[in-house]
């Protein structure tokens, strides 16, 4: 087909990709030149700008659209402050998540009566242990004579009077050789006077003061103590006391434990008080009881103790009324004449109230009752329930505590501490402390088999007080426990008007057990009862939950940034997923370019061929520029872009495309 006259002949552009259609080529060019926004943005900066313009959080958008540097800077400061406050408040919510709320409930119901353990303060009858302690008592009297210059001591009728001048005649004392008693003068702590020889000698080793540093009643010019050394006498420690009474009693107690540790348990039970000797009368809840309702419990330092309501036959007694008439009432025979004068200095009994499965620590938490008095103990029961980990460090049953329970009783913090100390003593000293139960495969300490035990015991005790053994850090409190709050009151008993007949009747009742008439200083009355049947329960509950935590998070986000959890998901997507993908894409493009440059063979550079005029902007490209991209092209420097030439008006004349018209298309003439 031939071109007709008047048609313009346009140049056909050379395309580098002949296979691409013209429409697709234009789309690719537009995509290449127009800016890309959103997650597909080529740079992090453009991604952040797109996020700030499209997010629902108001502060980010104001950073982009605000005019002026000062206003933009203020919005940046406000936004960062709000973000910091959100993180701070959320961190506080997370930290305080494992907190508890305490609720107190009071129940009115029938209450189980606790176990009651009663011990005479004097562990063994003096008449039964006098032969075992004869040498120790003789040396103690000699030390008192040397210290205070007593010429003699008046013994009771049952004891033979003994002259102080003949104390150390004959055999040389052995107890003062093992642990010598020393007197220290003020300002001369390096020298001491020996009680045995009366001479001064040098004393080496650390000095541990047992006197109180809180209150000094008077300034003492001389203190009394004793020295303990290891086997090789290279390590020694001196224990001083502000009072000679305390020093003598502590010194006597050491040797007393050393002697009694070598006596069998069966013999010690026979040397102590029987239930019939200790208990005179018994009533519980208005019903008579006797020694058969008590269980023997032998304590190394308190002898035979007896526990009432110790779950015999798996039955626990209970009470349905409050008041002294519905509790436990007992009359105890103390028998002061059988007391050891150097071991105990008070008269009476010790009582401890505890759970049925709990070990009675009489020496720690016992309540002393007096003779010739009626002691009334009113009780209030409180049960405590604590939450275990992660809310607290308490333990449910002690199974997760790395300390063996040598007491075979329910776990408690006190049992754990005593078990830990006994275990450490067996490890360090090779024997166990006499005043506590024996660990498995261990023996009580005595000087014959363990000559170093006294020094070792005191050193461990000092380390335990200073929390150097690690027991306090290992042992934990029990999560649930019962506690009885006690209110004690005293009254004179028996009264003067009832003393005569009451003591006569009690003497007749105890006629088979004692061989003398009772007097009121030998007796003590004890009443233990619930003041009322109000049981108080203290329970810990979680103060927070996952639902409350999420709600608090949402409240903080809405308060400071006016956003929700969807905004958080959007932030995670943009700042982590999209940003990382852009960085990865950029690194991948760089790696591809580097690999392509490394694999491509070197080629000479072709000389540039100028096209069009001298204006470099007018270089002919493979594809014609679009309107949008052409607007972004800068003018050539120093060159004036030619304007549009005037039209040729002769080209506007209509020319007949076909000079001859076909016959079948002619229009017939009208006549």
């Amino acid at each position: 087909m031939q071109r007709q006259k008047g048609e313009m002949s346009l140049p056909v552009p050379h395309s580098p990709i002949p296979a691409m259609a013209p429409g697709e080529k234009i789309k690719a060019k537009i995509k290449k030149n127009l800016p890309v926004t959103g997650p597909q943005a080529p740079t992090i900066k453009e991604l952040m700008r797109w996020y700030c313009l499209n997010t629902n959080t108001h502060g980010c958008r104001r950073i982009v659209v605000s005019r002026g540097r000062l206003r933009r800077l203020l919005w940046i400061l406000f936004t960062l402050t709000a973000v910091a406050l959100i993180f701070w408040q959320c961190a506080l919510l997370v930290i305080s998540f494992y907190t508890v709320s305490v609720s107190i409930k009071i129940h009115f119901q029938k209450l189980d009566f606790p176990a009651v353990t009663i011990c005479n303060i004097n562990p063994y009858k003096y008449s039964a242990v006098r032969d075992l302690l004869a040498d120790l008592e003789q040396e103690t009297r000699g030390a008192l004579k040397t210290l205070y210059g007593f010429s003699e001591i008046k013994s009771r009728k049952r004891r033979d009077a003994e002259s102080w001048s003949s104390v150390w005649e004959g055999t040389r004392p052995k107890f003062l050789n093992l642990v010598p008693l020393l007197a220290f003068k003020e300002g001369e702590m390096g020298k001491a006077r020996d009680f045995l020889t009366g001479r001064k000698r040098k004393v080496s080793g650390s000095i541990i003061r047992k006197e109180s540093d809180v209150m000094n009643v008077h300034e003492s010019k001389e203190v009394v103590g004793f020295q303990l050394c290891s086997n090789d006498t290279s390590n020694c420690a001196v224990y001083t006391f502000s009072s000679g009474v305390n020093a003598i009693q502590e010194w006597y107690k050491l040797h007393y434990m050393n002697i009694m540790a070598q006596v069998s348990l069966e013999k010690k039970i026979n040397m102590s008080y029987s239930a019939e000797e200790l208990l005179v009368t018994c009533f519980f809840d208005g019903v008579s009881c006797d020694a058969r309702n008590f269980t023997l419990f032998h304590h190394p330092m308190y002898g035979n103790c007896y526990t009432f309501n110790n779950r015999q036959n798996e039955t626990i007694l209970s009470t349905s009324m409050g008041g002294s008439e519905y509790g436990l009432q007992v009359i105890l025979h103390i028998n002061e004449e059988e007391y050891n004068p150097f071991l105990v200095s008070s008269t009476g009994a010790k009582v401890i109230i505890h759970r049925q499965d709990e070990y009675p620590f009489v020496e720690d938490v016992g309540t002393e009752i007096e003779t010739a008095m009626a002691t009334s103990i009113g009780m209030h029961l409180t049960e405590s329930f604590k939450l275990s980990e992660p809310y607290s460090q308490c333990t449910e049953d002690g199974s997760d505590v790395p300390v063996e329970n040598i007491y075979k009783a329910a776990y408690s913090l006190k049992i754990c501490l005593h078990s830990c100390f006994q275990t450490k003593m067996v490890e360090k000293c090779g024997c166990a402390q006499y005043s506590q139960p024996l660990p498995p495969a261990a023996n009580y300490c005595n000087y014959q088999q363990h000559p170093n035990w006294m020094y070792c015991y005191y050193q461990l005790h000092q380390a335990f007080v200073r929390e150097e053994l690690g027991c306090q850090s290992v042992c934990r409190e029990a999560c649930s426990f019962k506690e009885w709050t006690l209110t004690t009151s005293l009254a004179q008993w028996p009264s003067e008007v009832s003393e005569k007949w009451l003591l006569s009747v009690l003497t007749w009742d105890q006629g088979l057990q004692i061989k003398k008439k009772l007097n009121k200083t030998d007796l003590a009355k004890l009443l233990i009862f619930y003041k009322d049947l109000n049981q108080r329960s203290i329970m810990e509950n979680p103060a927070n939950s996952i639902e409350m935590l999420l709600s608090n998070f949402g409240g903080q986000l809405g308060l400071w940034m006016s956003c929700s959890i969807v905004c958080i998901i959007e932030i995670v997507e943009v700042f982590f997923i999209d940003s990382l993908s852009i960085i990865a894409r950029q690194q991948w493009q760089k790696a591809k370019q580097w690999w392509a440059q490394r694999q491509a063979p070197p080629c000479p550079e072709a000389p540039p061929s100028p096209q069009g005029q001298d204006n470099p902007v007018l270089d002919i490209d493979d594809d014609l520029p679009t309107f949008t991209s052409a607007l972004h092209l800068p003018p050539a420097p120093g060159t004036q872009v030619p304007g549009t030439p005037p039209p040729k008006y002769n080209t506007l004349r209509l020319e007949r495309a076909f000079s001859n018209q076909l016959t079948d298309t002619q229009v017939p003439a009208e006549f």
Side-chain angles (χ1 to χ4, degrees), residues 478-535:
C479 292
S480 60
F481 54 90
K482 289 183 178 181
E483 184 179 15
W484 285 269
T485 304
L486 307 180
T487 303
T488 305
S489 60
L490 300 175
Q492 184 178 356
W493 180 90
S495 63
E496 294 183 0
V497 296
S498 61
E499 176 181 348
K500 184 176 181 180
W501 74 266
L502 194 148
L503 294 179
S504 300
V505 173
L506 292 178
T507 303
W508 183 83
D509 290 340
Q510 293 292 102
L512 298 178
Q513 304 296 332
I514 58 177
K515 305 298 182 182
K516 65 167 188 172
K517 183 179 179 180
L518 295 175
N519 58 70
K520 64 179 182 180
T521 58
D522 290 330
L523 301 174
K525 187 175 182 180
L526 175 65
L527 299 92
I528 301 177
F529 54 92
Y530 280 111
K531 299 181 69 175
D532 49 48
L533 299 182
N534 298 345
Q535 177 184 348

Side-chain angles (χ1 to χ4, degrees), residues 112-119 279 281-297 305-312 315-319 326-330 351-356 360 379 526 528:
D112 291 337
F113 202 79
V116 179
T117 299
I118 304 173
C119 306
L279 303 170
T281 64
C282 175
F283 278 90
F284 175 74
D285 203 7
V287 180
S288 178
C289 54
D290 54 23
R292 293 173 296 181
N293 299 103
F294 290 81
T295 305
L296 172 64
F297 164 70
C305 301
Y306 297 92
T307 303
F308 176 78
N309 194 25
N310 194 23
R311 193 181 287 179
Q312 291 180 341
T315 302
I316 299 179
L317 301 177
S318 59
T319 179
Y326 300 94
L328 176 65
Q329 301 181 27
V330 292
V351 179
I352 180 173
I353 298 172
H354 56 94
R355 295 186 308 177
Q356 280 73 18
M379 301 182 299
L526 175 65
I528 301 177

Side-chain angles (χ1 to χ4, degrees), residues 524-570:
K525 187 175 182 180
L526 175 65
L527 299 92
I528 301 177
F529 54 92
Y530 280 111
K531 299 181 69 175
D532 49 48
L533 299 182
N534 298 345
Q535 177 184 348
R536 186 173 63 172
S537 299
I538 302 176
M539 304 182 65
E540 290 185 350
N541 301 299
N544 300 297
S545 61
I546 296 297
E547 295 80 5
M548 294 179 61
L549 182 64
L550 294 178
S551 299
N552 292 331
F553 282 168
Q556 295 299 326
L557 292 173
L559 175 64
W560 299 108
M561 291 290 290
S562 184
C563 63
S564 61
I565 192 66
V566 179
C567 298
I568 301 300
I569 299 175
E570 184 182 70

